[in-house]
Amino acid sequence: MARARSSKKREDIFQAGLKLFSQHGYSKTTIKDVAEEAGVSFGTVFTYFETKDQLFHACVTEPLVEFREHIMEIRNRLETLTLQQLKQIIDQHVDMFFEKEREIRVIQYVIGQPERFQEMEELDSFANEFTQFIQDIVVIGMKKGFLPNSNPEEVGHGYLAFLMGARLTYTDHKNVQLTNGFKNQALRLFGIGV
Amino acid sequence: MARARSSKKREDIFQAGLKLFSQHGYSKTTIKDVAEEAGVSFGTVFTYFETKDQLFHACVTEPLVEFREHIMEIRNRLETLTLQQLKQIIDQHVDMFFEKEREIRVIQYVIGQPERFQEMEELDSFANEFTQFIQDIVVIGMKKGFLPNSNPEEVGHGYLAFLMGARLTYTDHKNVQLTNGFKNQALRLFGIGV
DNA sequence: AGTAATTGATTGATCAATCAATTATGAGGG
DNA sequence: CCCTCATAATTGATTGATCAATCAATTACT
C-alpha cells in the first residue's frame, strides 16, 4: 500500500522521479535509477508509490496544485488591476515557467502525446482555467482602458502557447537577456508595444 | 545494410514510424507495430533501417529538409518585402505548424529531452536559421517603416517559441477560429496591432 | 539459375513488480 | 535506562513479460 504524502522519503522519491522523467522520459527512466537518485533501495520505491505509472502520474499532476495557487492568489484582486500589476504578473509567469523546468517538462511530455496519456483531462482543465484567467484580465484591461481592443480568447490561447513554447524551445534559464525578451514579447500579445 | 531512400516501402515504413513515434514516443513504439502499420513484415523494417534508432533519427531530421526549403524560398525575395507579404508568411508558418503535426511532434519530443538526445545539434542549427530569418524580416520591416521599432532578436525567439507552443498546446488543427487567432497574435509579436 | 528481398521464429537483454528475509522502530514493563 | 517483542519499513534476488536485433529459410525477381 502506498504511504502518506508527508514522508521525507516519499518527497525524495518524488523529486528523483521528477528529475529523471523530465530528462529521459517515462520508459527510459527505470525504478532502479529513481531509487539510486533518491538514495533508497529498489523495493522502497514501491512502498511509497504502488507502480511506476502512479509515480509518473504524481509527477505530472501534483505540481498543478502549486501552480493553481500561484494564479488564484492574483485572481482575487483582479478588479483593481493596473497596467503596472499586469506587467508584474507577466514577469512572474515567465519566471515561473523557466524556474519550474522539471515540472513543466513532464507536463509537456504528456501534452505532446495525447493518444498515449489520460492525464490530459486534468491538464486540459488547468489550461482552460489559465486561459480564462487571462481572458478576464484582458476584459478588465479593455474596460479600464489600459489595454487596446482585443479578442480576449485569442490573447488567452496565444499567451499560454507562448509561455509553453518559450519553456520548450529554450533551455538556458539563466539567460536573463532571453527571459527579458520573452517578457517584452509577452506584453505585445496583450497589445502593449515595448 | 539500409536500402536507398527512394523505395516505396522505405517511405511506408518511414510514415508508419512518424505516425507511431509522434503518437506514443520512442519506447512505446515497437518495430512490430511499425511493420504492421506499414504493411510489411517485422524483418523488412530492418532491410530499410538498420536499427530502431536510425528510423527514429530519420523521422526527426528528414522533414527538416522540406521545412528549410519552405523558408529559403521566401528568403530570396526578402529585399522587396511588404507588410502584406509578411502577413502571408505568418499565415503560412501557422498553417505549416498545424499541418505538419507529426513531424513537429517528434521534433518537440526530442527538444523536450535535451539530456537524452543528440539530434539536438541539427535541430538547434535549424532553430538558429529560422530565428535569423525572422530577425532579417524585422530589420527590413523597420527600415521600410512597416514594422515599429523592435529588438529583432527578441521577436525571432518569441515568434519561434509562439509557433512551437501553439503546436504543442493545441491539438485541434481543424479549428479555423483557433488558427486565425494564432495568426493575429503572431502579428502582434511583430508589433502589428490587429 | 542466380541474386535480392522478405519473413518470422529465436535469442538475449532489459526491467517492473513481487515477496521472503532482514532490519529498524517504538511501546510497555521492569 | 535497558530489555522484549510486535509491527512497520527496507531490501534485493527472483520472476515473467516485453522487445530489438539476428539469421536461416523462403519467396520474388530478372
Side-chain angles (χ1 to χ4, degrees):
Chain A
M1 195 53 179
R3 288 288 165 282
R5 281 197 180 186
S6 52
S7 155
K8 160 84 165 64
K9 268 186 187 163
R10 187 193 190 277
E11 180 63 18
D12 289 346
I13 295 165
F14 176 87
Q15 290 298 333
L18 192 60
K19 174 179 178 181
L20 297 177
F21 285 135
S22 70
Q23 288 181 343
H24 304 115
Y26 180 83
S27 301
K28 291 283 177 190
T29 297
T30 67
I31 297 294
K32 182 171 164 288
D33 293 340
V34 171
E36 272 171 28
E37 177 74 29
V40 301
S41 78
F42 179 86
T44 296
V45 174
F46 291 97
T47 303
Y48 293 90
F49 298 91
E50 285 184 52
T51 63
K52 184 185 177 185
D53 253 350
Q54 285 194 17
L55 172 58
F56 182 74
H57 189 269
C59 290
V60 174
T61 57
E62 286 182 16
L64 292 179
V65 177
E66 196 193 324
F67 291 164
R68 188 171 272 117
E69 281 168 8
H70 207 267
I71 295 170
M72 292 308 188
E73 183 263 331
I74 300 161
R75 183 180 277 197
N76 292 334
R77 44 192 176 83
L78 211 61
E79 293 73 21
T80 62
L81 192 72
T82 64
L83 178 58
Q84 199 55 36
Q85 285 175 330
L86 172 58
K87 287 181 178 177
Q88 278 177 14
I89 290 172
I90 291 173
D91 282 3
Q92 282 179 9
H93 286 166
V94 171
D95 288 338
M96 189 181 79
F97 265 70
F98 276 84
E99 280 163 15
K100 299 287 179 183
E101 175 166 9
R102 290 173 184 171
E103 289 82 351
I104 292 178
R105 276 204 192 283
V106 293
I107 288 171
Q108 291 180 334
Y109 182 85
V110 169
I111 290 178
Q113 299 170 78
E115 296 87 354
R116 176 176 171 188
F117 293 105
Q118 301 77 32
E119 282 92 344
M120 281 304 286
E121 288 119 46
E122 263 167 290
L123 295 178
D124 264 2
S125 72
F126 185 83
N128 288 336
E129 219 172 309
F130 185 80
T131 51
Q132 186 57 56
F133 170 63
I134 299 301
Q135 287 178 45
D136 293 347
I137 286 179
V138 173
V139 169
I140 284 184
M142 292 194 303
K143 201 170 67 182
K144 293 204 169 187
F146 66 78
L147 286 183
N149 200 39
S150 292
N151 181 328
E153 213 177 327
E154 290 182 0
V155 179
H157 290 132
Y159 181 65
L160 175 58
F162 177 79
L163 289 172
M164 292 290 271
R167 163 66 286 170
L168 175 71
T169 313
Y170 296 94
T171 303
D172 190 2
H173 40 130
K174 299 279 166 53
N175 191 333
V176 179
Q177 203 187 340
L178 191 69
T179 53
N180 278 339
F182 283 132
K183 288 169 184 175
N184 290 334
Q185 290 295 105
L187 260 177
R188 280 191 161 177
L189 291 175
F190 288 84
I192 307 289
V194 201
Chain B
M1 194 52 177
R3 289 285 166 283
R5 283 195 179 189
S6 52
S7 154
K8 160 85 163 67
K9 266 185 189 164
R10 185 192 191 277
E11 180 63 18
D12 289 346
I13 294 165
F14 176 87
Q15 289 297 335
L18 192 60
K19 174 179 177 181
L20 297 178
F21 285 136
S22 71
Q23 288 181 343
H24 305 115
Y26 180 82
S27 301
K28 290 285 178 189
T29 297
T30 67
I31 297 293
K32 183 171 164 288
D33 292 340
V34 171
E36 272 171 28
E37 178 74 29
V40 301
S41 77
F42 179 86
T44 296
V45 174
F46 292 96
T47 303
Y48 294 89
F49 298 90
E50 286 184 52
T51 62
K52 184 185 176 185
D53 253 349
Q54 286 194 16
L55 172 59
F56 182 74
H57 189 270
C59 291
V60 174
T61 58
E62 286 182 18
L64 292 179
V65 177
E66 196 194 322
F67 292 164
R68 188 171 273 118
E69 280 167 9
H70 208 267
I71 295 170
M72 293 307 191
E73 183 263 332
I74 300 162
R75 184 179 276 198
N76 293 334
R77 43 195 177 81
L78 212 62
E79 292 73 21
T80 63
L81 192 73
T82 64
L83 178 58
Q84 199 56 34
Q85 284 175 331
L86 174 57
K87 287 182 178 177
Q88 278 176 15
I89 291 173
I90 291 173
D91 281 3
Q92 282 178 10
H93 286 166
V94 172
D95 287 338
M96 189 182 79
F97 265 69
F98 276 84
E99 280 162 14
K100 300 286 181 184
E101 175 166 8
R102 290 172 184 172
E103 290 83 351
I104 293 178
R105 277 204 191 283
V106 293
I107 288 171
Q108 292 181 333
Y109 182 85
V110 170
I111 290 178
Q113 300 171 75
E115 294 88 355
R116 176 176 172 190
F117 294 105
Q118 301 78 30
E119 282 92 343
M120 281 302 287
E121 286 120 46
E122 264 167 291
L123 295 177
D124 264 2
S125 71
F126 185 83
N128 288 336
E129 220 172 308
F130 184 80
T131 50
Q132 185 58 57
F133 170 63
I134 299 301
Q135 287 178 44
D136 293 347
I137 286 180
V138 173
V139 169
I140 285 186
M142 292 193 303
K143 201 172 66 183
K144 293 205 168 187
F146 66 78
L147 285 184
N149 200 39
S150 291
N151 181 328
E153 213 176 327
E154 289 182 1
V155 178
H157 290 134
Y159 181 66
L160 175 58
F162 177 79
L163 289 172
M164 292 290 271
R167 164 66 285 169
L168 175 71
T169 314
Y170 295 95
T171 304
D172 189 1
H173 39 129
K174 300 280 167 52
N175 191 334
V176 179
Q177 203 188 337
L178 193 68
T179 53
N180 278 340
F182 283 131
K183 288 168 184 176
N184 289 334
Q185 289 296 104
L187 260 177
R188 281 190 160 177
L189 291 176
F190 288 84
I192 307 288
V194 201

